[in-house]
Amino acid sequence: MAHSVGIKDVARAAGVSVGTVSNVINRPDTVAAETRARVLSAIDRLGYVRSESARQLRAGRSRIMGLLVLDMGNPFFVDVARGAERAARDAGLGVMVCNSAQNAGEEAEYLSLFAEQRVRGVLLTPADATGRNIEGFRRHNIPFVLVDRVAEGTTECSVSVDDVAGGALAVRHLVDAGHRSIAYVSGPPGLNQVRDRRTGALNALAEAGLGPGALRELPTERLDVAAGRDAGARLLGLADRPTAVFCANDLLALGVLQAMYAAGVGVPDDLAIVGYDDIEFAAAAAVPLTSVRQPAVTMGALAAELLLEETETQGADRAHAHQRVVLQPELVVRRSSLAAR
């Protein structure tokens, strides 16, 4: 087995003490330029890499922030990660990104991993609707911020979008275009975001004097393109097919669009479609997709900044004031919903 180069090897090669090598790595300004150059040359020649885990044990603080999202296959969460990574990097930290795949069991495993690694803090979009995973994670005393989820009934910080307002934006747009029968491709009913977007849709229908019967819900087990295609097939089989569909995210909407295209159903002439998130692919679809835009990068960055602020107050005299930041969505209208009724 190859020998792992340690700090003693660097000190021996450079002809200096271990303390001098440590100073070159951690406090280079305290070491004379000639000595510093000799140590850096030895580090480069030997390929020495300092043990971050050992440094963390000594310092008691990690330089890693955990990020656990529902689905890294969804570009929305990629944008959230971009925002979080940017804020973490500005603070000299890295981000460990993990994907729960909308599975409460996998979420629990990753939260245990974060605790084992003693991460600085965690950004979390919960998959477990019961809240048990969050409750179990609290005992580790690791700060966390909820992302894309309001911290209801908890004391933690959260950064989310007003999904009730977003659902209302989508359906109000369809009602204004003349639609009176609308399908909601909703995703897993246990997710707060799915329920809130449905509430907003019903609110918009009520504003227009339409009852809840005007919304035909088509739940799906996942929030991906394949689930959207399946929902599209079910939609095509309805005898009283709605004239418009609102989808809980853009991946579902793109799947519905594929199903309509394969069946020869015109979008938007025969069926109007509105998605949610406004991912990059929405504008690039065969029929550009109307969508409710969430400021995903901003959401990730704000959540990371709140987490950093909280970790800086741990052990300090000043207390951290938890915040619930709720951002506003925006409707982006494209061709998929523009047919006149």
Side-chain angles (χ1 to χ4, degrees):
M1 182 180 294
H3 170 64
S4 178
V5 176
I7 194 169
K8 291 181 179 178
D9 299 308
V10 174
R12 189 179 304 112
V16 299
S17 69
V18 169
T20 298
V21 177
S22 178
N23 285 337
V24 169
I25 295 170
N26 298 297
R27 296 178 296 279
D29 292 342
T30 66
V31 182
E34 182 180 343
T35 303
R36 187 167 66 241
R38 192 162 73 249
V39 170
L40 291 174
S41 176
I43 287 173
D44 183 61
R45 187 168 66 255
L46 296 174
Y48 167 74
V49 177
R50 72 174 178 176
S51 171
E52 179 62 18
S53 59
R55 190 203 68 79
Q56 288 176 196
L57 285 172
R58 290 192 300 271
R61 288 170 67 83
S62 171
R63 292 178 59 247
I64 299 297
M65 177 188 298
L67 171 62
L68 181 55
V69 299
L70 290 177
D71 181 12
M72 280 306 292
N74 186 339
F76 166 75
F77 288 111
V78 175
D79 286 342
V80 169
R82 283 174 50 217
E85 189 273 337
R86 185 181 304 163
R89 187 178 64 240
D90 289 345
L93 303 182
V95 178
M96 180 191 299
V97 181
C98 297
N99 175 27
S100 71
Q102 303 172 41
N103 183 286
E106 292 190 31
E107 176 181 83
E109 291 175 5
Y110 279 123
L111 289 174
S112 293
L113 175 64
F114 289 152
E116 291 170 6
Q117 296 296 317
R118 300 172 64 180
V119 297
R120 179 76 64 92
V122 173
L123 305 177
L124 171 64
T125 303
D128 177 23
T130 69
R132 283 192 293 265
N133 286 343
I134 289 177
E135 193 59 39
F137 187 67
R138 280 199 183 94
R139 70 176 184 269
H140 299 294
N141 200 31
I142 296 174
F144 64 91
V145 173
L146 299 181
V147 184
D148 194 31
R149 166 84 174 270
V150 176
E152 297 172 347
T154 71
T155 59
E156 282 76 26
C157 290
S158 65
V159 180
S160 62
V161 166
D162 188 340
D163 283 317
V164 174
L169 281 174
V171 172
R172 192 177 296 123
H173 167 68
L174 292 171
V175 169
D176 288 346
H179 297 281
R180 296 296 179 267
S181 178
I182 300 168
Y184 176 42
V185 178
S186 61
L191 293 178
N192 283 22
Q193 298 92 324
V194 165
R195 294 197 300 268
D196 286 350
R197 291 165 197 178
R198 180 179 183 274
T199 297
L202 292 172
N203 289 348
L205 291 174
E207 289 172 9
L210 300 170
L215 191 71
R216 185 78 169 267
E217 186 165 0
L218 297 173
T220 63
E221 293 185 359
R222 300 186 63 79
L223 290 161
D224 55 23
V225 174
R229 284 196 298 266
D230 175 71
R234 283 184 279 152
L235 187 63
L236 289 167
L238 296 178
D240 53 344
R241 191 169 74 209
T243 60
V245 57
F246 166 44
C247 298
N249 77 357
D250 285 341
L251 296 183
L252 290 172
L254 292 171
V256 171
L257 179 61
Q258 288 179 6
M260 297 305 111
Y261 180 81
V265 175
V267 175
D269 294 329
D270 300 319
L271 183 76
I273 301 176
V274 176
Y276 205 103
D277 290 340
D278 195 34
I279 62 176
E280 184 177 355
F281 299 131
V287 179
L289 185 66
T290 295
S291 184
V292 178
R293 175 179 293 166
Q294 298 199 81
V297 174
T298 299
M299 191 183 303
L302 286 174
E305 289 167 5
L306 285 174
L307 185 60
L308 289 166
E309 180 183 310
E310 182 172 357
T311 61
E312 290 303 319
T313 62
Q314 282 189 307
D317 292 336
R318 60 193 178 96
H320 171 73
H322 290 295
Q323 299 181 52
R324 293 182 182 180
V325 179
V326 180
L327 304 173
Q328 292 302 307
E330 172 190 0
L331 182 69
V332 181
V333 178
R334 300 190 181 95
R335 192 155 60 89
S336 71
S337 64
L338 283 180
R341 303 295 313 166

